[in-house]
Amino acid sequence: MARKVKCKGCGKQIEQSEAYKHIHTTSSGKTQNQYYCSLEEYETIEREKALYKEIQYATDNILGRPITNNARNKEIQELHEQYSYETILRCIRAKAEDIKNLITYNRIEGDYNQIRYMMQVIKNTIYDFAREDAKKNNWEQYKTVEELEVYEEKEETNDEIIKRLKEKKESTNSISSFLNGLK
């Protein structure tokens, strides 16, 4: 019977022979075996760790000093429940100068207050940023300008959607549509 090990990423019990083994060197110089379900899972986890560190460095740069308050990390985790680390990092980098200017303009004092203000600005803009990013990615799938123009024509505004739905509702509820259906 093969020995079972616990996946470091998901916590699932897997056989040692089937697991991806990573030899980790601790800060004291000792080596430890860490097991993952697959190489892909290990690489995904390592990429997310690196992106998380980049987000921390980006927020440190916005305030101009290392942040020791844990409020930032809690806010980042909250954002990560809805958005990927890549999206969060791109949003922070895109809005960094705006946030610096807003903090200076509004004369926000104190570590905690600046962190909360910075994270609130990011929370307020990330939805639009992610939506714009997704729209850009959709546009990139079209190879020619003509295909892109057809795609843009398909998009409806909220007013057009409401008008179309009202017309549909009125047409399905009319007596003439009922009588036409009987023919």
Side-chain angles (χ1 to χ4, degrees):
M1 187 165 178
R3 180 175 167 235
K4 296 253 182 187
V5 292
K6 187 175 182 179
C7 175
K8 180 100 169 128
C10 64
K12 189 170 76 171
Q13 291 287 332
I14 51 176
E15 291 189 22
Q16 184 177 9
S17 60
E18 296 175 5
Y20 171 73
K21 177 180 167 183
H22 171 73
I23 300 173
H24 175 72
T25 306
T26 63
S27 58
S28 62
K30 296 180 182 178
T31 58
Q32 295 176 338
N33 294 334
Q34 294 179 342
Y35 296 95
Y36 296 89
C37 291
S38 65
L39 174 63
E40 292 81 23
E41 182 178 23
Y42 168 73
E43 289 173 345
T44 302
I45 291 169
E46 290 299 311
R47 176 165 168 67
E48 286 201 352
K49 284 181 188 176
L51 286 169
Y52 186 76
K53 288 282 187 197
E54 285 295 316
I55 291 170
Q56 289 179 325
Y57 292 138
T59 55
D60 287 348
N61 288 336
I62 289 173
L63 296 183
R65 63 187 179 283
I67 299 172
T68 56
N69 193 321
N70 201 28
R72 172 200 48 195
N73 298 336
K74 290 178 184 177
E75 299 281 343
I76 292 170
Q77 291 303 322
E78 270 183 39
L79 280 173
H80 183 59
E81 290 173 6
Q82 294 180 335
Y83 303 101
S84 67
Y85 283 134
E86 292 95 359
T87 303
I88 296 169
L89 182 60
R90 283 196 311 266
C91 180
I92 290 172
R93 286 182 176 165
K95 300 295 180 182
E97 287 302 314
D98 294 339
I99 295 169
K100 286 178 189 178
N101 294 337
L102 285 170
I103 288 174
T104 305
Y105 178 76
N106 292 320
R107 297 183 191 134
I108 310 281
E109 299 295 326
D111 245 6
Y112 181 76
N113 294 336
Q114 288 179 347
I115 292 168
R116 293 286 296 156
Y117 189 82
M118 171 181 59
M119 295 308 293
Q120 195 59 45
V121 169
I122 292 166
K123 282 182 180 180
N124 290 341
T125 58
I126 195 165
Y127 174 76
D128 293 332
F129 185 83
R131 192 169 161 209
E132 189 176 294
D133 220 23
K135 193 173 187 180
K136 180 182 173 188
N137 289 339
N138 283 342
W139 286 350
E140 289 174 356
Q141 72 184 356
Y142 298 100
K143 295 172 181 51
T144 64
V145 175
E146 293 81 24
E147 289 178 350
L148 177 60
E149 289 171 355
V150 169
Y151 172 75
E152 288 176 341
E153 288 175 6
K154 290 180 184 176
E155 290 187 12
E156 295 179 303
T157 64
N158 288 340
D159 295 333
E160 291 171 339
I161 293 170
I162 292 170
K163 182 180 176 185
R164 184 174 45 84
L165 292 175
K166 281 183 181 177
E167 288 172 355
K168 182 178 178 182
K169 184 177 180 182
E170 289 172 1
S171 68
T172 57
N173 291 339
S174 70
I175 190 74
S176 61
S177 66
F178 174 74
L179 293 174
N180 288 336
L182 293 177
K183 292 182 182 177

